[in-house]
Amino acid sequence: MQVTAFLLGMLVFVVYTVLIRAFYTVKPDERAILTSFGRARRIGRLMVEDASLNEEEKQRYRFPRLQVIGPGGPYFKWPWQEVHKVRVVTEAIDLTWDPTKSQHTIEAVTKDNLTTGVGGQIRFRVSENNLYAYFFGVDKPLEHVMGYFISVLRERIANFVDPKGESLVGDTELSTGSAAAELSEGVSINDLRKNLPLLNDYMEQQCRSTGARYGIELDAALITQIDPPPEVDRALSAINTTRNQVAADISTARADAEQQITMSKRAVDIARNNAQAEVAPLKELANTLAQIKTTGGPGALRTYIRNLRVPLLKRATRIVQTAAPK
């Protein structure tokens, strides 16, 4: 009786492990790999290659290409084989995600030694070309990717300088009118807020190698929040207000100076025209006298001058005649 029960149990176990658990399916958003006695099925000697890795990283992250089982089924496997499935759709996760602690923002220190909180999301998906790294390369690949991303983000924030803001303090920029309106920039937190698209692009470029490192590809970085502590925010607001006031005063002074210069130029032009108006009759009279002397001789000139004196003598009330010097 006991032998029969044992054989019946063995039969049930074999049916369950061989017939029931031997078949499996893969969903449309999933990919699977099959291991036999713990060894994954590989594609010959092909290795994962990524041009974004340097020579040292290529030696460290050297993973084989695996045979990936696509959606469909049912597939059959032997009892000594094991199926590993993973979702390959693009997923989003908050930057503050950390399985070891609860936090609302990611703290980072700027170039001005100001502590700021960063928030946002990243979109990622599992790399089908490097499932070996995802399953066997690292213990918790998503935590590794988040740690790598936050490390790069903090390094970038600590060294971030707005390339346009650097030139705002230059004399050439101050001499132009457009620079005055942008003098409120130049503080690192303001620069970060202004250049969020640039910061997101930088993070995407720096994290392109995560697919080759951990088997997770970064699809996009969406940093949407950079908030300093309240006391720092109030100080920044005061700085911005002061700088805006300085920019407005500079614009007003520049406009007054340009108006004074324009008025001075017009005054000079008026004085020049008046002088030319006074000199022109004298020049014309001199030309006339020279022409009379040339045409009629000295006698004609004396006669012309005497005729000019007649109207003056009629209006004179007293005439003083002096002897000519000898």
Side-chain angles (χ1 to χ4, degrees):
M1 185 64 182
Q2 294 180 350
V3 175
T4 304
F6 176 76
L7 294 176
L8 183 59
M10 288 294 296
L11 179 62
V12 172
F13 176 76
V14 171
V15 170
Y16 175 74
T17 56
V18 177
L19 297 181
I20 297 178
R21 295 190 58 190
F23 296 96
Y24 63 95
T25 59
V26 179
K27 296 180 181 178
D29 60 342
E30 291 181 339
R31 300 294 185 271
I33 62 171
L34 194 63
T35 58
S36 300
F37 297 107
R39 179 181 173 82
R41 294 194 300 180
R42 309 183 180 190
I43 304 176
R45 296 181 180 273
L46 290 180
M47 306 298 290
V48 177
E49 297 181 356
D50 194 320
S52 61
L53 299 178
N54 56 37
E55 293 301 326
E56 189 271 339
E57 291 174 336
K58 288 180 181 178
Q59 297 298 325
R60 182 191 305 174
Y61 303 103
R62 184 177 174 82
F63 301 116
R65 294 284 302 275
L66 301 182
Q67 293 182 4
V68 180
I69 302 173
Y75 298 105
F76 177 81
K77 71 177 184 65
W78 293 106
W80 56 85
Q81 292 180 325
E82 186 176 358
V83 179
H84 302 266
K85 298 179 183 179
V86 63
R87 299 180 74 236
V88 293
V89 296
T90 301
E91 300 180 66
I93 188 171
D94 199 280
L95 281 180
T96 58
W97 179 82
D98 191 336
T100 62
K101 60 182 178 181
S102 177
Q103 55 186 357
H104 299 289
T105 58
I106 299 296
E107 290 188 354
V109 180
T110 66
K111 187 179 180 182
D112 300 340
N113 291 325
L114 300 177
T115 301
T116 183
V118 182
Q121 288 185 334
I122 62 172
R123 290 203 299 261
F124 67 95
R125 61 175 176 270
V126 177
S127 174
E128 296 184 37
N129 296 325
N130 195 14
L131 290 180
Y132 188 95
Y134 181 81
F135 284 114
F136 312 111
V138 291
D139 186 17
K140 299 177 180 177
L142 184 56
E143 294 182 25
H144 277 75
V145 170
M146 291 298 297
Y148 178 78
F149 182 88
I150 293 173
S151 298
V152 175
L153 177 64
R154 284 175 172 163
E155 185 272 339
R156 182 55 175 168
I157 290 177
N159 298 285
F160 185 84
V161 176
D162 183 10
K164 189 175 181 181
E166 280 185 325
S167 59
L168 288 178
V169 297
D171 295 336
T172 56
E173 293 289 339
L174 288 176
S175 62
T176 61
S178 61
E182 299 177 353
L183 281 176
S184 60
E185 305 302 334
V187 181
S188 56
I189 293 181
N190 288 337
D191 293 340
L192 288 169
R193 287 173 170 172
K194 180 183 175 183
N195 295 280
L196 278 181
L198 184 64
L199 184 62
N200 287 327
D201 293 340
Y202 176 82
M203 296 305 300
E204 292 177 11
Q205 293 177 1
Q206 293 297 315
C207 295
R208 284 179 180 172
S209 61
T210 56
R213 290 167 176 260
Y214 312 117
I216 293 181
E217 297 176 349
L218 183 65
D219 186 64
L222 303 173
I223 300 172
T224 57
Q225 176 187 357
I226 296 180
D227 292 329
E231 59 275 11
V232 177
D233 197 15
R234 287 194 294 270
L236 290 175
S237 299
I239 293 173
N240 290 337
T241 302
T242 303
R243 292 196 174 190
N244 289 334
Q245 183 63 40
V246 170
D249 293 342
I250 291 175
S251 299
T252 303
R254 183 179 290 113
D256 292 341
E258 291 178 354
Q259 184 178 6
Q260 292 294 330
I261 292 173
T262 302
M263 293 178 64
S264 299
K265 289 180 179 178
R266 290 182 178 179
V268 171
D269 293 338
I270 292 173
R272 182 183 296 109
N273 293 333
N274 290 335
Q276 291 175 353
E278 293 179 358
V279 171
L282 298 177
K283 288 184 176 179
E284 186 63 25
L285 178 60
N287 293 332
T288 302
L289 294 176
Q291 186 177 3
I292 292 173
K293 185 178 180 181
T294 303
T295 305
L301 182 59
R302 284 194 296 271
T303 303
Y304 178 78
I305 294 175
R306 186 191 60 190
N307 293 336
L308 287 179
R309 287 177 178 175
V310 171
L312 296 177
L313 293 175
K314 289 181 179 178
R315 288 185 293 176
T317 59
R318 187 176 60 177
I319 298 175
V320 178
Q321 185 174 7
T322 58
K326 295 182 180 178

